Amino acid sequence: MHKLPTLKSVKNFDSVAILTSGGDSPGMNPAIRALTRAAFNSGISHVYGINRGYSGLINNDIQKMTSRSVTNIVQRGGTVLKSARCLEFKEPNVRQDAAKILRDRGIEALFVIGGDGSMTGAHLFTEETGIPVIGLPGTIDNDIPGSDDTIGFDTAVNTALEAIDKIRDTAQSHERLFLVEVMGRNSGFIATQVGIACGAEMVVVPEYDFDLRELCLTLAQRRATGQGSSGIIVVAEGKDPGLTNRIAYQLEEQGQNPRICILGHIQRGGSPSGHDRMLASCLGASAVSYLLAGYNDIMVGVNQGSIVDIPLRRVITETKSLNRHLFDITTLLHK
Ligand code: F6P
C-alpha cells in the first residue's frame, strides 16, 4: 500500500489536459481515470484528453473529458487516449506552437504519462512556456530515475512469467534449452525480475557481460549428473538487434540445440495487474494534489512505498541502475 503525500491546495485551476506518450503500458488507463476523476472532484471544471501524445497536441487533436468518459476503463490495457512517439516535439518552435494551442483553449496545466523521452518533452515544454506540467512514469521498462516503480512494469513481468511457465513445460519434455527474449532496449529490469521469478538458468541484460561458455558447462554437468538438460535463458532485447539469434548461434556451436521465443509486444498489452491499477490510481490522484499545491516541473513516483515528487530535470539527467545484488540472485539460485 502506498503512503500518499499530505499536501495543502494553494492554487486554483479551471482547466487541465492529459496525454499518454511513447510506448504504451498496462495501467495508463487507470492513470487517466484517476487524473480525470481527481481533477473534477478537486474543483477543476474542465479536463481535456489529448489524443496520440505530443503528436495530438501539436495537431490540436483534443477532446473534452467527463467523469463518465473514464467509466469502465480501469481494467483495460493500452490507453484510451492512444499513444505515439513524436519527433517534431524535439523542436523548440513546435513546443511554442503547442503552448499556443493549449492557451487558446484555456488549458492551464498538463499531465504527461509516459517514459523517459516523454519526461524530457515535458520538462522542456514547461521550462520554455511556463505552462505547469506534472509527469507520471508510464513504461513497462521500469527504467525511470527517481521512481522505484513504473506503471505497467508489474503487468509486463506477470505476462512474461505466464508465457515462460508454459515454455518451461515443453522445454522439460524435450530436454531443450530456450532463449526467451523480453523487452528492455536499454535496461534489464524486466529480464532480471522475470529471470528470478521463473527460475531462469541465466539472465542476459544490457548492463552486464555474460559468459556463455560457463552456461554450457553448467548444462553439460547437469546432464552428466542426470539432473536434466532443459533450461530457460532470459535475454533482454538490448540495443543491438539480433542479439538473441547470435546467442543461439553460439550455443549451437557449443553443441546445444536451443529454441528461441521472442515475447515482444505481448508484454505491453493486457489488463493491468492489481498492483499497476493501484499504482496508477495513487499516482494519478497524487499528481492532481501536487498541481493544486503549486508544484510544477515534477514527476510523481514511488520511493520506498511513499508517493514522492521528483524534479523532471533529475528524471531526465540521471540513469536508474540495475540493482547488482538483485541481478546476482539470478545466478545464486540456479546452482
Ligand atoms: O515501452 C518500452 C519498450 O517496450 C522497450 O522495451 C522496447 O524496446 C520499445 O518499447 C519498443 O517500442 P516500439 O515498438 O514502440 O518501438
Side-chain angles (χ1 to χ4, degrees):
M1 203 64 77
H2 296 111
K3 190 169 174 293
L4 300 173
T6 320
L7 296 160
K8 206 168 154 323
S9 294
V10 295
K11 283 201 163 179
N12 288 323
F13 286 86
D14 182 56
S15 184
V16 299
I18 306 166
L19 63 80
T20 48
S21 156
D24 63 350
S25 67
M28 282 183 163
N29 279 331
I32 295 167
R33 172 181 178 269
L35 287 166
T36 306
R37 295 258 167 98
F40 283 130
N41 291 327
S42 307
I44 296 172
S45 310
H46 306 285
V47 179
Y48 290 88
I50 300 173
N51 295 317
R52 299 178 185 83
Y54 293 119
S55 169
L57 172 56
I58 63 183
N59 289 309
N60 207 348
D61 186 1
I62 299 174
Q63 54 178 301
K64 256 195 156 197
M65 308 283 279
T66 63
S67 198
R68 279 191 65 85
S69 52
V70 292
T71 295
N72 217 2
I73 66 167
V74 75
Q75 78 286 14
R76 285 170 55 191
T79 156
V80 290
L81 292 178
K82 308 205 182 306
S83 194
R85 302 187 195 273
C86 177
L87 293 178
E88 294 103 301
F89 206 68
K90 292 189 171 171
E91 303 299 326
N93 59 318
V94 172
R95 292 194 287 271
Q96 288 300 337
D97 293 347
K100 183 170 179 323
I101 288 171
L102 291 186
R103 286 195 192 102
D104 287 350
R105 285 178 174 267
I107 296 171
E108 301 156 314
L110 179 65
F111 295 101
V112 174
I113 310 166
D116 49 358
S118 310
M119 294 304 131
T120 303
H123 169 67
L124 294 173
F125 183 69
T126 186
E127 190 177 61
E128 293 163 3
T129 67
I131 295 177
V133 176
I134 311 272
L136 285 81
T139 166
I140 65 164
D141 290 339
N142 198 17
D143 59 350
I144 306 211
S147 186
D148 296 340
D149 202 357
T150 58
I151 298 166
F153 175 64
D154 181 68
T155 309
V157 166
N158 286 324
T159 301
L161 284 175
E162 212 183 307
I164 293 174
D165 289 348
K166 292 183 174 126
I167 293 169
R168 182 71 86 174
D169 291 343
T170 175
Q172 277 180 343
S173 305
H174 288 269
E175 298 181 276
R176 262 177 187 154
L177 189 58
F178 268 83
L179 291 162
V180 182
E181 185 180 295
V182 296
M183 274 192 166
R185 197 173 282 164
N186 304 306
S187 61
F189 291 97
I190 296 180
T192 302
Q193 193 141 322
V194 165
I196 293 170
C198 80
E201 275 57 37
M202 185 178 172
V203 178
V204 177
V205 294
E207 290 88 342
Y208 307 129
D209 291 336
F210 56 95
D211 187 347
L212 274 183
R213 256 176 51 82
E214 197 190 312
L215 173 81
C216 290
L217 272 175
T218 312
L219 290 170
Q221 276 163 7
R222 284 175 52 183
R223 192 190 282 267
T225 54
Q227 290 176 63
S229 59
S230 71
I232 303 284
I233 302 179
V234 175
V235 184
E237 60 177 325
K239 271 202 202 66
D240 190 7
L243 171 70
T244 309
N245 280 303
R246 279 198 303 283
I247 297 177
Y249 181 69
Q250 285 180 46
L251 285 166
E252 271 166 16
E253 286 202 318
Q254 295 186 39
Q256 301 287 330
N257 184 20
R259 294 290 186 272
I260 292 177
C261 180
I262 297 177
L263 297 182
H265 288 79
I266 193 171
Q267 296 157 97
R268 289 238 296 254
S271 177
S273 65
H275 174 92
D276 277 329
R277 295 183 203 189
M278 274 298 288
L279 176 65
S281 302
C282 292
L283 288 176
S286 304
V288 173
S289 304
Y290 275 110
L291 179 74
L292 296 175
Y295 286 72
N296 173 31
D297 203 6
I298 58 149
M299 182 189 80
V300 287
V302 182
N303 185 354
Q304 298 184 5
S306 294
I307 304 286
V308 294
D309 62 293
I310 307 118
L312 278 173
R313 180 175 289 284
R314 199 188 134 201
V315 173
I316 67 172
T317 50
E318 292 182 4
T319 23
K320 181 169 166 186
S321 22
L322 194 60
N323 180 330
R324 182 76 220 199
H325 297 306
L326 196 63
F327 181 78
D328 287 344
I329 293 185
T330 61
T331 342
L332 193 67
L333 297 189
H334 82 82
K335 281 187 178 158

Coordinates of all heavy atoms in Angstrom, one line a residue, residues 237-300:
E237 N 16.1 -7.6 -24.7 CA 16.4 -7.4 -26.2 C 17.6 -6.5 -26.4 O 18.3 -6.7 -27.4 CB 15.1 -6.7 -26.8 CG 14.8 -5.4 -26.2 CD 13.6 -4.6 -26.9 OE1 13.5 -4.7 -28.1 OE2 12.9 -4.0 -26.2
G238 N 17.9 -5.5 -25.5 CA 19.0 -4.7 -25.7 C 18.9 -3.8 -27.0 O 18.0 -3.9 -27.7
K239 N 20.0 -3.0 -27.2 CA 20.0 -2.0 -28.3 C 20.4 -2.7 -29.6 O 20.1 -2.2 -30.7 CB 21.1 -1.0 -28.0 CG 20.6 0.2 -27.2 CD 21.6 1.4 -27.4 CE 21.5 2.4 -26.3 NZ 22.0 2.0 -25.0
D240 N 21.0 -3.8 -29.5 CA 21.7 -4.5 -30.6 C 20.7 -5.5 -31.2 O 20.6 -6.6 -30.6 CB 22.9 -5.2 -29.9 CG 23.8 -5.7 -30.8 OD1 23.7 -5.5 -32.0 OD2 24.8 -6.5 -30.4
P241 N 20.1 -5.2 -32.4 CA 19.1 -6.1 -32.9 C 19.7 -7.5 -33.2 O 20.9 -7.5 -33.7 CB 18.6 -5.4 -34.2 CG 19.1 -4.1 -34.1 CD 20.3 -4.0 -33.2
G242 N 19.0 -8.5 -33.0 CA 19.5 -9.9 -33.3 C 20.4 -10.5 -32.3 O 21.0 -11.6 -32.5
L243 N 20.5 -9.9 -31.1 CA 21.3 -10.5 -30.0 C 20.9 -11.9 -29.7 O 21.8 -12.8 -29.6 CB 21.3 -9.6 -28.8 CG 21.9 -10.1 -27.5 CD1 23.4 -10.1 -27.6 CD2 21.5 -9.3 -26.3
T244 N 19.6 -12.1 -29.5 CA 19.2 -13.5 -29.1 C 19.6 -14.5 -30.2 O 20.0 -15.6 -29.8 CB 17.6 -13.4 -28.9 OG1 17.4 -12.3 -28.0 CG2 17.1 -14.7 -28.3
N245 N 19.4 -14.1 -31.4 CA 19.8 -15.1 -32.5 C 21.3 -15.4 -32.4 O 21.7 -16.5 -32.7 CB 19.5 -14.5 -33.9 CG 18.1 -14.6 -34.2 OD1 17.5 -15.8 -34.2 ND2 17.4 -13.5 -34.5
R246 N 22.1 -14.3 -32.2 CA 23.5 -14.6 -32.1 C 23.9 -15.5 -30.9 O 24.8 -16.3 -31.0 CB 24.3 -13.3 -32.0 CG 24.4 -12.6 -33.4 CD 25.5 -11.6 -33.4 NE 25.3 -10.5 -32.4 CZ 24.4 -9.6 -32.5 NH1 23.7 -9.5 -33.6 NH2 24.2 -8.7 -31.6
I247 N 23.2 -15.3 -29.8 CA 23.5 -16.2 -28.7 C 23.1 -17.6 -29.0 O 23.8 -18.6 -28.7 CB 22.7 -15.7 -27.4 CG1 23.1 -14.3 -27.0 CG2 22.9 -16.7 -26.3 CD1 22.4 -13.7 -25.8
A248 N 22.0 -17.8 -29.7 CA 21.5 -19.1 -30.1 C 22.6 -19.8 -31.0 O 22.9 -20.9 -30.9 CB 20.2 -19.0 -30.9
Y249 N 23.1 -19.0 -31.9 CA 24.2 -19.5 -32.8 C 25.4 -20.0 -32.1 O 25.9 -21.0 -32.3 CB 24.5 -18.4 -33.8 CG 25.5 -18.7 -34.9 CD1 25.2 -19.7 -35.8 CD2 26.8 -18.2 -34.8 CE1 26.2 -20.0 -36.8 CE2 27.8 -18.6 -35.7 CZ 27.4 -19.5 -36.7 OH 28.4 -19.9 -37.7
Q250 N 25.8 -19.1 -31.1 CA 27.0 -19.5 -30.3 C 26.7 -20.8 -29.5 O 27.6 -21.6 -29.4 CB 27.3 -18.4 -29.3 CG 28.0 -17.2 -29.9 CD 28.3 -16.1 -28.9 OE1 28.8 -16.4 -27.8 NE2 27.9 -14.9 -29.2
L251 N 25.5 -20.9 -29.0 CA 25.1 -22.1 -28.2 C 25.2 -23.3 -29.1 O 25.6 -24.4 -28.7 CB 23.8 -21.9 -27.6 CG 23.7 -21.0 -26.4 CD1 22.2 -20.7 -26.1 CD2 24.4 -21.7 -25.2
E252 N 24.7 -23.1 -30.4 CA 24.7 -24.3 -31.3 C 26.2 -24.7 -31.6 O 26.5 -25.9 -31.6 CB 24.1 -23.9 -32.7 CG 22.6 -24.1 -32.7 CD 21.9 -23.4 -33.8 OE1 22.6 -23.0 -34.8 OE2 20.7 -23.3 -33.7
E253 N 27.0 -23.7 -31.7 CA 28.5 -24.0 -31.9 C 29.0 -24.8 -30.8 O 30.0 -25.5 -30.9 CB 29.2 -22.7 -32.1 CG 29.0 -22.1 -33.5 CD 30.1 -21.2 -33.9 OE1 30.6 -20.4 -33.0 OE2 30.5 -21.2 -35.1
Q254 N 28.5 -24.6 -29.6 CA 29.0 -25.4 -28.4 C 28.1 -26.6 -28.2 O 28.1 -27.2 -27.0 CB 28.9 -24.4 -27.2 CG 29.9 -23.3 -27.4 CD 30.1 -22.4 -26.2 OE1 30.1 -22.9 -25.1 NE2 30.2 -21.1 -26.4
G255 N 27.4 -27.1 -29.2 CA 26.8 -28.4 -29.1 C 25.4 -28.4 -28.5 O 24.8 -29.4 -28.3
Q256 N 24.8 -27.2 -28.3 CA 23.4 -27.1 -27.8 C 22.5 -27.0 -29.0 O 22.9 -26.8 -30.1 CB 23.2 -25.9 -26.9 CG 24.1 -25.8 -25.7 CD 23.7 -26.8 -24.7 OE1 22.6 -27.2 -24.5 NE2 24.7 -27.3 -23.9
N257 N 21.2 -27.3 -28.8 CA 20.2 -27.2 -29.8 C 19.0 -26.3 -29.3 O 17.9 -26.8 -29.1 CB 19.7 -28.6 -30.1 CG 18.7 -28.6 -31.3 OD1 18.7 -27.7 -32.1 ND2 17.9 -29.7 -31.4
P258 N 19.3 -25.0 -29.1 CA 18.3 -24.1 -28.5 C 17.2 -23.7 -29.4 O 17.3 -23.8 -30.6 CB 19.1 -22.9 -28.1 CG 20.2 -22.8 -29.1 CD 20.5 -24.2 -29.6
R259 N 16.1 -23.3 -28.7 CA 15.0 -22.7 -29.4 C 14.8 -21.3 -28.9 O 15.2 -21.0 -27.8 CB 13.7 -23.5 -29.1 CG 13.6 -24.9 -29.7 CD 13.5 -24.9 -31.2 NE 13.4 -26.2 -31.8 CZ 14.4 -27.0 -32.1 NH1 15.6 -26.6 -31.9 NH2 14.1 -28.2 -32.7
I260 N 14.2 -20.5 -29.8 CA 14.1 -19.0 -29.4 C 12.6 -18.7 -29.3 O 11.8 -19.1 -30.1 CB 14.7 -18.1 -30.5 CG1 16.2 -18.3 -30.5 CG2 14.3 -16.7 -30.3 CD1 16.9 -17.5 -31.6
C261 N 12.2 -17.9 -28.3 CA 10.9 -17.4 -28.2 C 11.0 -15.9 -27.9 O 11.5 -15.5 -26.8 CB 10.1 -18.1 -27.2 SG 8.4 -17.5 -27.1
I262 N 10.5 -15.0 -28.8 CA 10.5 -13.6 -28.6 C 9.2 -13.1 -28.1 O 8.2 -13.2 -28.9 CB 11.0 -12.9 -29.9 CG1 12.4 -13.3 -30.2 CG2 10.9 -11.3 -29.7 CD1 13.0 -12.7 -31.5
L263 N 9.1 -12.7 -26.9 CA 7.7 -12.3 -26.3 C 7.2 -11.0 -26.9 O 6.0 -10.8 -27.0 CB 7.8 -12.3 -24.8 CG 8.1 -13.7 -24.1 CD1 8.0 -13.5 -22.6 CD2 7.1 -14.7 -24.6
G264 N 8.1 -10.1 -27.2 CA 7.8 -8.8 -27.9 C 6.6 -8.1 -27.3 O 6.5 -8.0 -26.0
H265 N 5.8 -7.5 -28.1 CA 4.8 -6.6 -27.7 C 3.6 -7.2 -26.8 O 2.8 -6.5 -26.3 CB 4.2 -5.8 -28.9 CG 5.2 -4.8 -29.4 ND1 6.2 -5.2 -30.2 CD2 5.3 -3.5 -29.2 CE1 6.9 -4.2 -30.6 NE2 6.4 -3.1 -30.0
I266 N 3.6 -8.5 -26.8 CA 2.6 -9.1 -25.9 C 2.8 -8.6 -24.5 O 1.8 -8.5 -23.7 CB 2.8 -10.7 -25.9 CG1 1.6 -11.4 -25.3 CG2 4.0 -11.2 -25.2 CD1 1.6 -12.9 -25.5
Q267 N 4.0 -8.2 -24.1 CA 4.3 -7.7 -22.8 C 3.7 -6.3 -22.6 O 3.6 -5.8 -21.4 CB 5.8 -7.6 -22.6 CG 6.5 -8.9 -22.6 CD 8.0 -8.8 -22.9 OE1 8.8 -8.8 -22.0 NE2 8.3 -8.7 -24.2
R268 N 3.4 -5.6 -23.6 CA 2.9 -4.2 -23.5 C 1.3 -4.2 -23.4 O 0.7 -3.2 -23.0 CB 3.3 -3.4 -24.7 CG 4.7 -3.0 -24.7 CD 5.0 -1.5 -24.7 NE 4.5 -0.9 -25.8 CZ 5.3 -0.4 -26.8 NH1 6.6 -0.5 -26.7 NH2 4.8 0.2 -27.8
G269 N 0.7 -5.4 -23.7 CA -0.8 -5.4 -23.7 C -1.3 -6.1 -22.4 O -0.6 -6.5 -21.5
G270 N -2.6 -6.2 -22.5 CA -3.3 -7.0 -21.4 C -3.8 -6.1 -20.3 O -3.4 -4.9 -20.1
S271 N -4.8 -6.7 -19.6 CA -5.4 -6.0 -18.4 C -4.3 -5.7 -17.4 O -3.6 -6.6 -17.0 CB -6.5 -6.9 -17.9 OG -7.1 -6.3 -16.8
P272 N -4.3 -4.4 -16.9 CA -3.3 -4.1 -15.8 C -3.5 -5.0 -14.6 O -4.6 -5.2 -14.2 CB -3.5 -2.6 -15.5 CG -4.8 -2.3 -16.2 CD -5.1 -3.3 -17.2
S273 N -2.4 -5.4 -13.9 CA -2.5 -6.1 -12.7 C -3.1 -5.3 -11.6 O -3.1 -4.0 -11.7 CB -1.1 -6.6 -12.3 OG -0.3 -5.5 -12.0
G274 N -3.5 -5.9 -10.5 CA -4.0 -5.2 -9.4 C -2.9 -4.2 -8.9 O -3.3 -3.0 -8.5
H275 N -1.7 -4.6 -8.9 CA -0.6 -3.7 -8.4 C -0.5 -2.5 -9.3 O -0.4 -1.3 -8.8 CB 0.7 -4.5 -8.5 CG 1.9 -3.6 -8.2 ND1 2.4 -3.5 -6.9 CD2 2.7 -2.9 -9.0 CE1 3.5 -2.7 -7.0 NE2 3.7 -2.3 -8.2
D276 N -0.6 -2.6 -10.6 CA -0.5 -1.5 -11.5 C -1.7 -0.6 -11.4 O -1.6 0.6 -11.6 CB -0.2 -1.9 -13.0 CG 1.2 -2.2 -13.2 OD1 2.1 -1.6 -12.5 OD2 1.6 -3.1 -14.0
R277 N -2.9 -1.2 -11.2 CA -4.1 -0.3 -11.1 C -4.0 0.5 -9.8 O -4.3 1.7 -9.8 CB -5.3 -1.2 -11.0 CG -5.6 -2.0 -12.2 CD -6.9 -2.8 -12.1 NE -6.9 -3.9 -13.0 CZ -8.0 -4.7 -13.2 NH1 -9.1 -4.4 -12.5 NH2 -7.9 -5.7 -14.0
M278 N -3.5 -0.1 -8.8 CA -3.3 0.7 -7.5 C -2.3 1.8 -7.7 O -2.5 3.0 -7.3 CB -2.8 -0.2 -6.4 CG -3.9 -0.9 -5.6 SD -5.0 0.2 -4.8 CE -3.9 0.8 -3.5
L279 N -1.1 1.4 -8.3 CA 0.0 2.4 -8.5 C -0.5 3.6 -9.4 O -0.4 4.7 -9.0 CB 1.1 1.7 -9.2 CG 2.3 2.6 -9.6 CD1 3.0 3.1 -8.4 CD2 3.3 1.8 -10.4
A280 N -1.2 3.2 -10.5 CA -1.7 4.3 -11.4 C -2.7 5.2 -10.7 O -2.7 6.4 -10.9 CB -2.3 3.6 -12.6
S281 N -3.6 4.6 -9.9 CA -4.6 5.3 -9.2 C -4.0 6.3 -8.2 O -4.4 7.5 -8.1 CB -5.6 4.4 -8.5 OG -6.2 3.6 -9.5
C282 N -3.1 5.8 -7.4 CA -2.4 6.6 -6.4 C -1.6 7.7 -7.0 O -1.6 8.8 -6.5 CB -1.5 5.7 -5.4 SG -2.5 4.6 -4.4
L283 N -0.9 7.4 -8.1 CA 0.0 8.4 -8.7 C -0.9 9.5 -9.4 O -0.6 10.6 -9.3 CB 0.9 7.8 -9.8 CG 2.1 6.9 -9.3 CD1 2.8 6.3 -10.4 CD2 3.0 7.8 -8.4
G284 N -2.0 9.0 -10.0 CA -2.9 10.0 -10.7 C -3.5 10.9 -9.7 O -3.5 12.2 -9.8
A285 N -4.1 10.4 -8.6 CA -4.7 11.2 -7.5 C -3.7 12.2 -6.9 O -3.9 13.4 -6.7 CB -5.3 10.4 -6.4
S286 N -2.5 11.7 -6.7 CA -1.4 12.5 -6.1 C -0.9 13.6 -7.0 O -0.6 14.7 -6.6 CB -0.2 11.6 -5.7 OG -0.6 10.6 -4.8
A287 N -0.9 13.3 -8.3 CA -0.4 14.2 -9.3 C -1.3 15.5 -9.3 O -0.8 16.6 -9.4 CB -0.4 13.6 -10.7
V288 N -2.6 15.3 -9.1 CA -3.6 16.4 -9.1 C -3.3 17.2 -7.8 O -3.2 18.4 -7.8 CB -5.0 15.9 -9.1 CG1 -6.0 17.0 -8.9 CG2 -5.3 15.3 -10.5
S289 N -3.1 16.5 -6.7 CA -2.8 17.2 -5.4 C -1.5 18.0 -5.5 O -1.5 19.1 -5.0 CB -2.6 16.2 -4.2 OG -3.7 15.4 -4.1
Y290 N -0.5 17.5 -6.1 CA 0.8 18.2 -6.3 C 0.5 19.5 -7.1 O 1.0 20.6 -6.8 CB 1.8 17.4 -7.0 CG 2.6 16.5 -6.0 CD1 2.5 15.1 -6.0 CD2 3.5 17.1 -5.1 CE1 3.2 14.3 -5.1 CE2 4.2 16.3 -4.2 CZ 4.0 14.9 -4.2 OH 4.7 14.1 -3.3
L291 N -0.3 19.4 -8.2 CA -0.5 20.5 -9.0 C -1.2 21.6 -8.2 O -0.8 22.8 -8.3 CB -1.4 20.1 -10.3 CG -1.8 21.3 -11.2 CD1 -0.6 21.7 -12.0 CD2 -2.9 20.9 -12.1
L292 N -2.3 21.2 -7.5 CA -3.0 22.2 -6.7 C -2.2 22.8 -5.5 O -2.5 23.9 -5.1 CB -4.3 21.6 -6.2 CG -5.3 21.1 -7.2 CD1 -6.5 20.4 -6.6 CD2 -5.8 22.3 -8.1
A293 N -1.2 22.0 -5.1 CA -0.3 22.5 -4.1 C 0.8 23.4 -4.6 O 1.7 23.9 -3.9 CB 0.3 21.4 -3.3
G294 N 0.7 23.7 -5.9 CA 1.7 24.7 -6.5 C 2.9 24.1 -7.1 O 3.8 24.8 -7.5
Y295 N 3.0 22.7 -7.2 CA 4.2 22.1 -7.8 C 4.2 22.2 -9.3 O 3.1 22.2 -9.9 CB 4.3 20.6 -7.3 CG 4.7 20.4 -5.9 CD1 3.8 20.7 -4.9 CD2 5.9 19.9 -5.6 CE1 4.2 20.5 -3.5 CE2 6.3 19.7 -4.3 CZ 5.4 20.0 -3.2 OH 5.8 19.8 -2.0
N296 N 5.3 22.2 -9.9 CA 5.4 22.2 -11.3 C 6.8 21.6 -11.7 O 7.7 21.5 -10.9 CB 5.4 23.7 -11.8 CG 5.7 23.7 -13.3 OD1 5.4 22.8 -14.1 ND2 6.3 24.8 -13.8
D297 N 6.9 21.1 -13.0 CA 8.1 20.5 -13.5 C 8.6 19.4 -12.7 O 9.8 19.2 -12.4 CB 9.2 21.7 -13.5 CG 10.3 21.4 -14.5 OD1 10.2 20.4 -15.3 OD2 11.3 22.1 -14.5
I298 N 7.7 18.5 -12.2 CA 8.0 17.3 -11.4 C 7.3 16.1 -12.1 O 6.4 16.2 -12.9 CB 7.5 17.4 -10.0 CG1 5.9 17.6 -9.9 CG2 8.2 18.5 -9.2 CD1 5.3 17.0 -8.7
M299 N 7.9 15.0 -11.6 CA 7.2 13.7 -11.9 C 6.8 13.1 -10.6 O 7.6 13.2 -9.6 CB 8.2 12.7 -12.6 CG 7.6 11.4 -13.0 SD 8.8 10.2 -13.6 CE 9.5 9.6 -12.1
V300 N 5.6 12.5 -10.5 CA 5.3 11.8 -9.3 C 5.8 10.4 -9.4 O 5.8 9.8 -10.5 CB 3.8 11.8 -9.0 CG1 3.3 13.1 -8.5 CG2 3.0 11.3 -10.2

